[in-house]
Amino acid sequence: MAKLKSVFVCSQCGNDSPKWLGRCPVCGEWNSYVEEFISKQHLVKESSELSNFIPQQSKPVLLQDITTGDEIRMDTGDRELNRVLGGGLVPGSLVLIGGEPGIGKSTLVLQTVLKLNTYKILYISGEESAKQLKLRAERLEKSNENLFIVCETNLERIFVHINNLKPDILIIDSIQTIYTERIESGPGSVSQVRECSVALLKFAKETSIPTLLIGHINKEGNIAGPKVLEHIVDTVLQFEGDQHYMYRILRSMKNRFGSTSELGIYEMRQNGLREVNNPSEMLLTQNHEGLSGAAIAAAIEGIRPFLIETQSLVSTAAYGMPQRSATGFDIRRMNMLLAVLEKRAGFKLIQKDVFLNIAGGLRVSDPALDLAVISAILSSSLDIAIDRETCLSGEVGLSGEIRPVNRIEQRILEAEKLGFNKIIIPHNNLKGFDTNRISIRIVSVKKVEDAFRELFG
């Protein structure tokens, strides 16, 4: 039996130390060192077990001898996933999908591979049994004759199955449950996640088989395991959403083969995830006519425009201590906008409770929501409804000016497509913009007072 050696490994960057340290000297994190046991034999030389299953084809090649061409991507059959990936799966790529427990990561991957009837797919499940996956596939009402299921967590035996089956696509669910016998620590530890990820990366690159890894997240919302995991993989996708709402957002945090500005929107249903091709119609409610505190914002997430409803409620503080609460919007930015309202526009809200909500359970970081947020707050404070056929887009500065926003033409066209009659935009966005081919009425404003005068008279 190989002798064991105790080492302390940083859970953030993977740096190891022979003794426990309060602060990592590499990444600077506090209390991030955890104790792990590894074999001394592993420290002396690298095991050659995995080399039996991974072909060795690497050799030095001159740069001018390398041929390039258009990368043939695998169509996943999911338009939202294709958009986020940059056009489909790239052969040999390593894709990591992370998200909260129960958000739908496994459902997304399973319903995607069930559509790929032309590829041989190997699904490695370390969390669910084969019967559970079968029940989920029946709930999704899809089937695939080329989908093979293996319930295994040992990396060496996984490579045996891969070598025997020779799949076109590999799925690992999840990377935190996989372990290798070369390391004595348990599955999910920093060393295990790092070693298994490196082995899978070497396999994917040398066999050109795309590999999808499903990853857990910790309580801070980051991918569990060492930070080096996100550096190793080619693409990091974050699956977000609230379990109490039906919408899910797939964001690209890192993508070596495409843009990180794209995002996909899904609706969770009983029979799986449905692609939302036009999120504006889903995020707008039609029953707020005549009600104060609601404003429609023309937002952009990534490079995708959509209209979203911002809701606000302003009431007198009952206990002398005013409350500030925001759902789906940065609370610090809302406090800044409230200060602008008091200082630049003269509206006193210091003794009032202010609640803000982004409809649909989405979290939006586009600064163009500022104008809609302050308009919704003022609408609730004055108890005056905003015209339901008017939408807004603009960033509010500390001096009360309305700053220009990017991709204004896409925002205007989206509002026009959904039947809005008027849109309020920053004045500087009109420079060099041709409005002749647009039928919607465009109102340009320079300060918050101009916007309020247009909305409330």
Side-chain angles (χ1 to χ4, degrees):
M1 180 178 178
K3 294 183 179 180
L4 301 181
K5 180 180 179 181
S6 174
V7 296
F8 293 87
V9 183
C10 176
S11 60
Q12 295 296 319
C13 65
N15 182 53
D16 54 61
S17 171
K19 61 180 181 179
W20 185 86
L21 300 175
R23 184 174 186 265
C24 178
V26 177
C27 65
E29 287 292 327
W30 289 90
N31 299 323
S32 60
Y33 274 84
V34 293
E35 185 178 12
E36 294 186 2
F37 295 92
I38 61 176
S39 172
K40 285 187 177 181
Q41 180 181 1
H42 171 64
L43 294 176
V44 176
K45 63 178 181 178
E46 194 76 19
S47 174
S48 60
E49 295 178 4
L50 298 181
S51 62
N52 298 328
F53 311 107
I54 303 177
Q56 305 295 324
Q57 299 176 350
S58 299
K59 63 178 182 179
V61 181
L62 289 173
L63 179 63
Q64 57 265 28
D65 294 339
I66 300 175
T67 58
T68 59
D70 294 336
E71 198 70 54
I72 301 176
R73 296 176 181 259
M74 295 182 178
D75 185 6
T76 63
D78 187 322
R79 285 175 293 181
E80 299 295 305
L81 181 58
N82 283 340
R83 177 188 289 111
V84 177
L85 289 174
L89 276 175
V90 175
S93 62
L94 193 62
V95 180
L96 175 64
I97 301 177
E100 295 182 357
I103 206 68
K105 304 182 297 295
S106 300
T107 300
L108 173 65
V109 173
L110 183 60
Q111 79 171 25
T112 299
V113 298
L114 285 174
K115 301 175 184 177
L116 304 177
N117 296 313
T118 57
Y119 298 104
K120 186 187 295 184
I121 302 165
L122 179 60
Y123 193 111
I124 307 294
S125 177
E127 299 179 348
E128 296 178 286
S129 66
K131 290 184 178 179
Q132 288 177 300
L133 290 172
K134 175 65 175 177
L135 291 174
R136 177 175 293 176
E138 292 178 349
R139 179 170 58 85
L140 296 175
E141 300 175 355
K142 295 181 178 65
S143 62
N144 188 344
E145 297 179 353
N146 292 323
L147 177 60
F148 296 85
I149 306 294
V150 175
C151 298
E152 183 59 72
T153 57
N154 183 278
L155 184 64
E156 285 75 18
R157 290 198 289 267
I158 287 174
F159 275 109
V160 172
H161 292 299
I162 294 173
N163 192 48
N164 294 334
L165 188 62
K166 293 180 173 54
D168 299 320
I169 300 176
L170 177 65
I171 311 294
I172 303 292
D173 185 9
S174 65
I175 185 61
Q176 281 79 16
T177 62
I178 306 301
Y179 72 95
T180 174
E181 296 176 351
R182 296 186 294 162
I183 299 178
E184 301 296 334
S185 58
S189 64
V190 175
S191 300
Q192 288 285 3
V193 173
R194 182 178 62 243
E195 290 296 322
C196 294
S197 301
V198 169
L200 290 169
L201 174 70
K202 183 178 177 63
F203 160 77
K205 296 303 178 184
E206 296 189 355
T207 60
S208 296
I209 295 177
T211 303
L212 274 71
L213 308 179
I214 297 178
H216 298 165
I217 64 171
N218 52 28
K219 60 183 179 181
E220 287 83 16
N222 302 318
I223 302 291
K227 196 68 175 178
V228 69
L229 173 62
E230 298 178 44
H231 291 283
I232 289 174
V233 300
D234 297 312
T235 304
V236 179
L237 304 182
Q238 192 80 11
F239 206 39
E240 304 173 354
D242 193 328
Q243 295 185 6
H244 302 290
Y245 290 89
M246 54 185 170
Y247 298 111
R248 303 287 187 267
I249 293 182
L250 184 66
R251 299 180 187 271
S252 175
M253 314 302 294
K254 169 190 175 182
N255 194 352
R256 290 173 177 163
F257 307 109
S259 172
T260 56
S261 300
E262 291 286 2
L263 82 162
I265 300 180
Y266 295 88
E267 179 187 7
M268 177 62 80
R269 290 188 172 184
Q270 184 66 27
N271 58 347
L273 294 162
R274 186 186 70 86
E275 306 167 29
V276 178
N277 299 319
N278 189 2
S280 299
E281 295 180 353
M282 305 294 295
L283 298 175
L284 295 179
T285 57
Q286 305 299 325
N287 56 356
H288 69 276
E289 186 176 4
L291 301 178
S292 61
I296 307 300
I300 281 188
E301 277 294 295
I303 59 174
R304 188 174 187 177
F306 59 88
L307 302 188
I308 193 168
E309 181 180 339
T310 59
Q311 301 172 342
S312 177
L313 177 63
V314 180
S315 60
T316 304
Y319 303 103
M321 182 65 70
Q323 301 182 59
R324 302 287 188 264
S325 176
T327 303
F329 193 79
D330 188 0
I331 183 66
R332 294 170 298 180
R333 191 166 188 87
M334 188 187 76
N335 290 331
M336 182 200 75
L337 295 175
L338 292 177
V340 171
L341 277 177
E342 293 202 15
K343 179 72 174 179
R344 305 299 179 187
F347 294 98
K348 303 300 180 182
L349 301 171
I350 192 171
Q351 295 298 328
K352 294 186 178 182
D353 296 335
V354 180
F355 304 95
L356 183 69
N357 176 51
I358 304 298
L362 299 180
R363 182 168 187 84
V364 185
S365 57
D366 186 4
L369 256 70
D370 291 353
L371 187 56
V373 167
I374 63 172
S375 299
I377 292 173
L378 193 57
S379 171
S380 178
S381 178
L382 299 175
D383 199 17
I384 300 176
I386 297 176
D387 183 13
R388 64 186 301 270
E389 295 184 347
T390 300
C391 64
L392 308 96
S393 182
E395 179 184 356
V396 177
L398 291 179
S399 60
E401 82 278 10
I402 307 299
R403 301 177 59 85
V405 296
N406 62 344
R407 302 183 184 273
I408 190 62
E409 185 175 359
Q410 289 181 264
R411 302 173 194 265
I412 294 174
L413 292 177
E414 182 73 10
E416 184 183 22
K417 183 176 69 174
L418 292 177
F420 282 81
N421 295 332
K422 182 171 66 175
I423 181 170
I424 299 177
I425 65 172
H427 179 75
N428 289 337
N429 273 127
L430 284 180
K431 294 180 179 179
F433 183 70
D434 184 16
T435 60
N436 295 328
R437 58 188 182 87
I438 296 176
S439 60
I440 187 174
R441 180 189 170 203
I442 299 176
V443 178
S444 62
V445 292
K446 294 183 178 179
K447 298 182 178 180
V448 292
E449 299 95 321
D450 301 336
F452 295 155
R453 195 175 298 111
E454 179 66 28
L455 289 172
F456 307 110

PDB file of all heavy atoms in Angstrom, residues 186-207:
ATOM      1  N   GLY A 186     -11.070  12.397  -1.358  1.00  0.00           N
ATOM      2  CA  GLY A 186     -12.390  12.033  -1.831  1.00  0.00           C
ATOM      3  C   GLY A 186     -12.845  12.836  -3.022  1.00  0.00           C
ATOM      4  O   GLY A 186     -12.256  13.876  -3.369  1.00  0.00           O
ATOM      5  N   PRO A 187     -13.910  12.402  -3.695  1.00  0.00           N
ATOM      6  CA  PRO A 187     -14.450  13.139  -4.844  1.00  0.00           C
ATOM      7  C   PRO A 187     -14.887  14.543  -4.437  1.00  0.00           C
ATOM      8  O   PRO A 187     -15.403  14.757  -3.341  1.00  0.00           O
ATOM      9  CB  PRO A 187     -15.649  12.288  -5.278  1.00  0.00           C
ATOM     10  CG  PRO A 187     -15.383  10.933  -4.722  1.00  0.00           C
ATOM     11  CD  PRO A 187     -14.638  11.141  -3.438  1.00  0.00           C
ATOM     12  N   GLY A 188     -14.684  15.493  -5.338  1.00  0.00           N
ATOM     13  CA  GLY A 188     -15.065  16.871  -5.080  1.00  0.00           C
ATOM     14  C   GLY A 188     -13.975  17.711  -4.450  1.00  0.00           C
ATOM     15  O   GLY A 188     -14.133  18.931  -4.342  1.00  0.00           O
ATOM     16  N   SER A 189     -12.875  17.070  -4.013  1.00  0.00           N
ATOM     17  CA  SER A 189     -11.776  17.841  -3.430  1.00  0.00           C
ATOM     18  C   SER A 189     -11.045  18.612  -4.514  1.00  0.00           C
ATOM     19  O   SER A 189     -11.202  18.358  -5.711  1.00  0.00           O
ATOM     20  CB  SER A 189     -10.817  16.909  -2.689  1.00  0.00           C
ATOM     21  OG  SER A 189     -10.215  16.000  -3.596  1.00  0.00           O
ATOM     22  N   VAL A 190     -10.222  19.545  -4.083  1.00  0.00           N
ATOM     23  CA  VAL A 190      -9.506  20.390  -5.033  1.00  0.00           C
ATOM     24  C   VAL A 190      -8.616  19.555  -5.942  1.00  0.00           C
ATOM     25  O   VAL A 190      -8.598  19.729  -7.170  1.00  0.00           O
ATOM     26  CB  VAL A 190      -8.679  21.454  -4.284  1.00  0.00           C
ATOM     27  CG1 VAL A 190      -7.830  22.253  -5.254  1.00  0.00           C
ATOM     28  CG2 VAL A 190      -9.586  22.376  -3.489  1.00  0.00           C
ATOM     29  N   SER A 191      -7.875  18.610  -5.357  1.00  0.00           N
ATOM     30  CA  SER A 191      -6.957  17.795  -6.157  1.00  0.00           C
ATOM     31  C   SER A 191      -7.699  16.897  -7.132  1.00  0.00           C
ATOM     32  O   SER A 191      -7.285  16.740  -8.288  1.00  0.00           O
ATOM     33  CB  SER A 191      -6.078  16.951  -5.226  1.00  0.00           C
ATOM     34  OG  SER A 191      -5.320  17.766  -4.375  1.00  0.00           O
ATOM     35  N   GLN A 192      -8.799  16.293  -6.680  1.00  0.00           N
ATOM     36  CA  GLN A 192      -9.552  15.396  -7.553  1.00  0.00           C
ATOM     37  C   GLN A 192     -10.157  16.149  -8.727  1.00  0.00           C
ATOM     38  O   GLN A 192     -10.078  15.694  -9.883  1.00  0.00           O
ATOM     39  CB  GLN A 192     -10.657  14.691  -6.753  1.00  0.00           C
ATOM     40  CG  GLN A 192     -10.174  13.627  -5.790  1.00  0.00           C
ATOM     41  CD  GLN A 192      -9.752  12.350  -6.489  1.00  0.00           C
ATOM     42  OE1 GLN A 192      -9.755  12.266  -7.707  1.00  0.00           O
ATOM     43  NE2 GLN A 192      -9.380  11.341  -5.715  1.00  0.00           N
ATOM     44  N   VAL A 193     -10.778  17.284  -8.478  1.00  0.00           N
ATOM     45  CA  VAL A 193     -11.395  18.054  -9.560  1.00  0.00           C
ATOM     46  C   VAL A 193     -10.345  18.512 -10.554  1.00  0.00           C
ATOM     47  O   VAL A 193     -10.546  18.439 -11.778  1.00  0.00           O
ATOM     48  CB  VAL A 193     -12.179  19.256  -8.983  1.00  0.00           C
ATOM     49  CG1 VAL A 193     -12.669  20.156 -10.103  1.00  0.00           C
ATOM     50  CG2 VAL A 193     -13.352  18.780  -8.150  1.00  0.00           C
ATOM     51  N   ARG A 194      -9.188  18.947 -10.050  1.00  0.00           N
ATOM     52  CA  ARG A 194      -8.133  19.419 -10.929  1.00  0.00           C
ATOM     53  C   ARG A 194      -7.571  18.286 -11.789  1.00  0.00           C
ATOM     54  O   ARG A 194      -7.429  18.430 -13.015  1.00  0.00           O
ATOM     55  CB  ARG A 194      -7.022  20.059 -10.112  1.00  0.00           C
ATOM     56  CG  ARG A 194      -5.889  20.638 -10.956  1.00  0.00           C
ATOM     57  CD  ARG A 194      -4.827  21.315 -10.115  1.00  0.00           C
ATOM     58  NE  ARG A 194      -4.185  20.385  -9.210  1.00  0.00           N
ATOM     59  CZ  ARG A 194      -4.226  20.476  -7.882  1.00  0.00           C
ATOM     60  NH1 ARG A 194      -4.906  21.452  -7.328  1.00  0.00           N
ATOM     61  NH2 ARG A 194      -3.613  19.612  -7.118  1.00  0.00           N
ATOM     62  N   GLU A 195      -7.258  17.155 -11.188  1.00  0.00           N
ATOM     63  CA  GLU A 195      -6.662  16.047 -11.933  1.00  0.00           C
ATOM     64  C   GLU A 195      -7.640  15.464 -12.952  1.00  0.00           C
ATOM     65  O   GLU A 195      -7.269  15.169 -14.086  1.00  0.00           O
ATOM     66  CB  GLU A 195      -6.200  14.961 -10.957  1.00  0.00           C
ATOM     67  CG  GLU A 195      -5.012  15.343 -10.112  1.00  0.00           C
ATOM     68  CD  GLU A 195      -3.766  15.577 -10.946  1.00  0.00           C
ATOM     69  OE1 GLU A 195      -3.549  14.835 -11.929  1.00  0.00           O
ATOM     70  OE2 GLU A 195      -3.010  16.510 -10.626  1.00  0.00           O
ATOM     71  N   CYS A 196      -8.898  15.281 -12.550  1.00  0.00           N
ATOM     72  CA  CYS A 196      -9.890  14.720 -13.479  1.00  0.00           C
ATOM     73  C   CYS A 196     -10.157  15.670 -14.628  1.00  0.00           C
ATOM     74  O   CYS A 196     -10.310  15.236 -15.785  1.00  0.00           O
ATOM     75  CB  CYS A 196     -11.185  14.423 -12.720  1.00  0.00           C
ATOM     76  SG  CYS A 196     -11.051  13.107 -11.485  1.00  0.00           S
ATOM     77  N   SER A 197     -10.187  16.967 -14.357  1.00  0.00           N
ATOM     78  CA  SER A 197     -10.439  17.945 -15.421  1.00  0.00           C
ATOM     79  C   SER A 197      -9.280  17.976 -16.414  1.00  0.00           C
ATOM     80  O   SER A 197      -9.498  18.057 -17.627  1.00  0.00           O
ATOM     81  CB  SER A 197     -10.650  19.335 -14.824  1.00  0.00           C
ATOM     82  OG  SER A 197     -11.738  19.340 -13.920  1.00  0.00           O
ATOM     83  N   VAL A 198      -8.055  17.900 -15.920  1.00  0.00           N
ATOM     84  CA  VAL A 198      -6.900  17.904 -16.808  1.00  0.00           C
ATOM     85  C   VAL A 198      -6.897  16.665 -17.690  1.00  0.00           C
ATOM     86  O   VAL A 198      -6.597  16.728 -18.896  1.00  0.00           O
ATOM     87  CB  VAL A 198      -5.596  18.003 -15.984  1.00  0.00           C
ATOM     88  CG1 VAL A 198      -4.376  17.746 -16.857  1.00  0.00           C
ATOM     89  CG2 VAL A 198      -5.485  19.368 -15.326  1.00  0.00           C
ATOM     90  N   ALA A 199      -7.232  15.500 -17.105  1.00  0.00           N
ATOM     91  CA  ALA A 199      -7.280  14.267 -17.892  1.00  0.00           C
ATOM     92  C   ALA A 199      -8.360  14.344 -18.972  1.00  0.00           C
ATOM     93  O   ALA A 199      -8.147  13.918 -20.112  1.00  0.00           O
ATOM     94  CB  ALA A 199      -7.525  13.074 -16.969  1.00  0.00           C
ATOM     95  N   LEU A 200      -9.533  14.893 -18.627  1.00  0.00           N
ATOM     96  CA  LEU A 200     -10.615  15.012 -19.614  1.00  0.00           C
ATOM     97  C   LEU A 200     -10.265  16.036 -20.683  1.00  0.00           C
ATOM     98  O   LEU A 200     -10.642  15.870 -21.855  1.00  0.00           O
ATOM     99  CB  LEU A 200     -11.914  15.394 -18.906  1.00  0.00           C
ATOM    100  CG  LEU A 200     -12.536  14.304 -18.022  1.00  0.00           C
ATOM    101  CD1 LEU A 200     -13.663  14.871 -17.170  1.00  0.00           C
ATOM    102  CD2 LEU A 200     -13.057  13.149 -18.883  1.00  0.00           C
ATOM    103  N   LEU A 201      -9.555  17.097 -20.318  1.00  0.00           N
ATOM    104  CA  LEU A 201      -9.122  18.073 -21.307  1.00  0.00           C
ATOM    105  C   LEU A 201      -8.144  17.444 -22.298  1.00  0.00           C
ATOM    106  O   LEU A 201      -8.268  17.641 -23.513  1.00  0.00           O
ATOM    107  CB  LEU A 201      -8.465  19.266 -20.601  1.00  0.00           C
ATOM    108  CG  LEU A 201      -7.833  20.310 -21.519  1.00  0.00           C
ATOM    109  CD1 LEU A 201      -8.911  21.080 -22.271  1.00  0.00           C
ATOM    110  CD2 LEU A 201      -6.947  21.273 -20.728  1.00  0.00           C
ATOM    111  N   LYS A 202      -7.198  16.669 -21.789  1.00  0.00           N
ATOM    112  CA  LYS A 202      -6.230  16.000 -22.667  1.00  0.00           C
ATOM    113  C   LYS A 202      -6.944  15.035 -23.609  1.00  0.00           C
ATOM    114  O   LYS A 202      -6.642  14.957 -24.802  1.00  0.00           O
ATOM    115  CB  LYS A 202      -5.203  15.254 -21.810  1.00  0.00           C
ATOM    116  CG  LYS A 202      -4.103  14.567 -22.596  1.00  0.00           C
ATOM    117  CD  LYS A 202      -3.117  13.912 -21.661  1.00  0.00           C
ATOM    118  CE  LYS A 202      -2.045  13.159 -22.424  1.00  0.00           C
ATOM    119  NZ  LYS A 202      -1.226  14.042 -23.271  1.00  0.00           N
ATOM    120  N   PHE A 203      -7.937  14.318 -23.056  1.00  0.00           N
ATOM    121  CA  PHE A 203      -8.708  13.392 -23.887  1.00  0.00           C
ATOM    122  C   PHE A 203      -9.471  14.127 -24.982  1.00  0.00           C
ATOM    123  O   PHE A 203      -9.466  13.726 -26.146  1.00  0.00           O
ATOM    124  CB  PHE A 203      -9.674  12.607 -22.998  1.00  0.00           C
ATOM    125  CG  PHE A 203     -10.816  11.982 -23.735  1.00  0.00           C
ATOM    126  CD1 PHE A 203     -10.644  10.825 -24.474  1.00  0.00           C
ATOM    127  CD2 PHE A 203     -12.080  12.563 -23.706  1.00  0.00           C
ATOM    128  CE1 PHE A 203     -11.692  10.252 -25.160  1.00  0.00           C
ATOM    129  CE2 PHE A 203     -13.129  12.006 -24.389  1.00  0.00           C
ATOM    130  CZ  PHE A 203     -12.940  10.839 -25.118  1.00  0.00           C
ATOM    131  N   ALA A 204     -10.150  15.243 -24.621  1.00  0.00           N
ATOM    132  CA  ALA A 204     -10.965  15.976 -25.597  1.00  0.00           C
ATOM    133  C   ALA A 204     -10.108  16.569 -26.708  1.00  0.00           C
ATOM    134  O   ALA A 204     -10.479  16.526 -27.889  1.00  0.00           O
ATOM    135  CB  ALA A 204     -11.754  17.074 -24.887  1.00  0.00           C
ATOM    136  N   LYS A 205      -8.943  17.114 -26.356  1.00  0.00           N
ATOM    137  CA  LYS A 205      -8.107  17.771 -27.354  1.00  0.00           C
ATOM    138  C   LYS A 205      -7.475  16.766 -28.314  1.00  0.00           C
ATOM    139  O   LYS A 205      -7.304  17.054 -29.501  1.00  0.00           O
ATOM    140  CB  LYS A 205      -7.014  18.592 -26.670  1.00  0.00           C
ATOM    141  CG  LYS A 205      -7.540  19.752 -25.836  1.00  0.00           C
ATOM    142  CD  LYS A 205      -8.399  20.687 -26.661  1.00  0.00           C
ATOM    143  CE  LYS A 205      -8.955  21.818 -25.812  1.00  0.00           C
ATOM    144  NZ  LYS A 205      -9.880  22.687 -26.576  1.00  0.00           N
ATOM    145  N   GLU A 206      -7.114  15.590 -27.813  1.00  0.00           N
ATOM    146  CA  GLU A 206      -6.395  14.640 -28.651  1.00  0.00           C
ATOM    147  C   GLU A 206      -7.318  13.701 -29.421  1.00  0.00           C
ATOM    148  O   GLU A 206      -6.873  13.017 -30.334  1.00  0.00           O
ATOM    149  CB  GLU A 206      -5.409  13.843 -27.803  1.00  0.00           C
ATOM    150  CG  GLU A 206      -4.328  14.721 -27.192  1.00  0.00           C
ATOM    151  CD  GLU A 206      -3.227  13.912 -26.542  1.00  0.00           C
ATOM    152  OE1 GLU A 206      -3.365  12.673 -26.482  1.00  0.00           O
ATOM    153  OE2 GLU A 206      -2.243  14.516 -26.100  1.00  0.00           O
ATOM    154  N   THR A 207      -8.588  13.657 -29.053  1.00  0.00           N
ATOM    155  CA  THR A 207      -9.543  12.818 -29.783  1.00  0.00           C
ATOM    156  C   THR A 207     -10.565  13.640 -30.551  1.00  0.00           C
ATOM    157  O   THR A 207     -11.368  13.071 -31.304  1.00  0.00           O
ATOM    158  CB  THR A 207     -10.288  11.884 -28.818  1.00  0.00           C
ATOM    159  OG1 THR A 207     -11.005  12.670 -27.855  1.00  0.00           O
ATOM    160  CG2 THR A 207      -9.311  10.963 -28.099  1.00  0.00           C
TER     161      THR A 207
END
